[in-house]
Amino acid sequence: MKLKLALSLGAGLLALGIAGAQAQEPLKIGVVSVLTGPQAALGQQVRDGFQLSVDQLGGKLGGRPVQITVIDDELKPDVAVSKVRAYLESGKVDFVVGPVFSNILGAIAKPVLDSGAFLISPNAGPSTLAGKACNQNFFVTSYQNDQVHEVLGKYAQDQGYKKAYIMAPNYQAGKDSLAGFKNYFKGEVVDEVYVPLTQLDFSAELAKIAAAKPDVVFAFMPGGLGVNLVKQWSQAGLTGKVPFLSAFTVDESTLPAQQDAAVGLFGGMTWAPNMDNPQTKKFVADYEAAYKIVPGSYAQQAYDAGLLIDSALKATKGDTADKDKLRAAIKKADFTSLRGKFKFNTNGYPIQDFYLVKVAKRPDGKFQTEIAQKVFTDYADPHAKDCALK
């Protein structure tokens, strides 16, 4: 009995020693984001939002020091895969946070998840990983791609619009966006247009819109695409003539370049910088002080990703070796999200509220989106029913 007790105590002390030693090792996190080209403004917000969360937690998550490696995916799937694989092979990686675009997520998801690391997406939420292909180590702190676009589809339907001209970039998120809009808009789609992710001249599309005379236009044009589209929309004299609804086309990443041309245009989102809660007010003030720009959803969702990881590691006392225990802690989402209510569905995507937002010019001359009305409450994405996870 004494020998068994001694062995048991010895094993327990050894386990505590290993856990204690691990708690002192830096947590390895790769942040994958686009930092090259016209979409870099989006990627910078993801990088900076996540970094701000770590900085405000004293450089630690769950009590463990953090070693962040930032990886520029260059918005090229082959480049992203090559860089991410090299990072994963460099040593034990605990988490990968990112990316912005769904085509990059589709490229890196398998190598990341096969490595045993947890993949936390602060923006991309493709339908392809929300249903049958869901993964127990994949979590999203943004939304399922269809949902934000469904906000605009429902609003267009509720407004009684009969004819819509819709357009998006030709990649997975673009296809999800137009599918999401059509899930709720039941009128006639007079044209459904897909453009290259690199397109910057929309004169042909604007001419078609003027000729088609739709009741409403819906566009998903993130980053540089949105900057040029909105400027050219204004220059073409379409402002005020045709209602312009969009997602990720007028937001805090594009507004510094669009400025007055975007004022009054509508978007959809789960959060806005004017959200009335104390955590948002502090975050916006701190982000603007640190980075001199107004934070958008990209920064907000990445900041929440940092809080999510911190909450899970607090529950495991810094332990990342027991994957089941860590996964269960992540699923609980025991943190205060900037958007308020937040919980995970069975597929690792959030259940949350969605809003119609409107671009406004602040008294200080800066531009931001502001909440106009709530469109969905506690909204779960439709693909979760096809996910076998519990």
Side-chain angles (χ1 to χ4, degrees), residues 55-384:
D55 290 345
Q56 292 189 340
L57 291 165
K60 295 182 178 182
L61 294 178
R64 283 182 62 178
V66 179
Q67 181 184 348
I68 297 174
T69 299
V70 177
I71 300 168
D72 179 8
D73 61 45
E74 301 179 34
L75 199 50
K76 298 174 182 176
D78 56 336
V79 171
V81 169
S82 178
K83 289 183 177 181
V84 168
R85 278 183 175 154
Y87 173 62
L88 293 169
E89 291 167 2
S90 70
K92 185 181 180 302
V93 175
D94 301 291
F95 292 91
V96 171
V97 175
V100 175
F101 285 84
S102 293
N103 59 332
I104 304 298
L105 179 64
I108 70 169
K110 189 176 189 309
V112 172
L113 295 169
D114 284 353
S115 77
F118 285 89
L119 178 57
I120 313 292
S121 175
N123 194 67
S127 59
T128 49
L129 289 175
K132 291 180 181 178
C134 61
N135 188 286
Q136 62 179 355
N137 289 348
F138 176 63
F139 294 88
V140 177
T141 58
S142 53
Y143 35 72
Q144 195 278 312
N145 286 348
D146 303 12
Q147 293 178 295
V148 175
H149 313 285
E150 288 173 341
V151 170
L152 289 313
K154 186 175 189 306
Y155 178 75
Q157 183 68 21
D158 291 347
Q159 291 295 111
Y161 298 134
K162 303 299 182 185
K163 298 192 300 180
Y165 183 104
I166 62 178
M167 56 181 173
N170 189 20
Y171 75 120
Q172 185 60 50
K175 295 171 185 177
D176 285 348
S177 73
L178 300 192
F181 181 85
K182 291 185 293 182
N183 280 346
Y184 280 86
F185 179 71
K186 302 306 178 184
E188 177 189 358
V189 175
V190 296
D191 207 349
E192 181 171 331
V193 178
Y194 291 95
V195 305
L197 260 175
T198 53
Q199 181 160 325
L200 296 177
D201 181 7
F202 293 91
S203 55
E205 288 77 18
L206 295 176
K208 288 180 182 178
I209 290 170
K213 297 180 180 179
D215 296 329
V216 65
V217 167
F218 170 71
F220 163 57
M221 293 290 167
L225 287 84
V227 170
N228 282 33
L229 174 60
V230 168
K231 285 183 175 180
Q232 291 166 28
W233 176 271
S234 178
Q235 292 163 0
L238 290 170
T239 303
K241 292 185 178 180
V242 183
F244 184 94
L245 305 179
S246 69
F248 313 103
T249 305
V250 290
D251 60 30
E252 285 69 23
S253 71
T254 59
L255 291 176
Q258 295 162 335
Q259 299 196 3
D260 291 313
V263 172
L265 299 184
F266 288 105
M269 190 37 64
T270 61
W271 175 90
N274 77 324
M275 185 166 274
D276 190 15
N277 62 48
Q279 62 268 30
T280 284
K281 291 175 182 177
K282 183 179 187 308
F283 166 72
V284 171
D286 291 347
Y287 190 95
E288 289 192 40
Y291 303 112
K292 313 307 177 190
I293 60 171
V294 181
S297 61
Y298 306 98
Q300 172 258 317
Q301 292 154 182
Y303 185 89
D304 271 3
L307 299 186
L308 170 67
I309 295 171
D310 177 65
S311 71
L313 289 172
K314 281 179 179 175
T316 66
K317 296 180 171 58
D319 177 28
T320 57
D322 187 336
K323 299 296 184 182
D324 292 338
K325 188 176 180 181
L326 180 56
R327 185 183 306 112
I330 294 172
K331 283 182 179 179
K332 288 182 179 179
D334 188 17
F335 70 99
T336 302
S337 169
L338 295 178
R339 73 203 83 177
K341 290 190 297 181
F342 179 98
K343 64 181 178 179
F344 282 121
N345 205 336
T346 53
N347 61 351
Y349 285 64
I351 297 173
Q352 59 193 325
D353 297 341
F354 287 81
Y355 304 88
L356 182 75
V357 298
K358 187 176 183 179
V359 177
K361 189 172 185 177
R362 303 190 325 192
D364 64 3
K366 293 181 180 179
F367 298 83
Q368 68 180 23
T369 55
E370 298 182 348
I371 292 172
Q373 67 183 68
K374 185 186 287 188
V375 177
F376 294 122
T377 300
D378 293 333
Y379 189 35
D381 75 86
H383 305 284

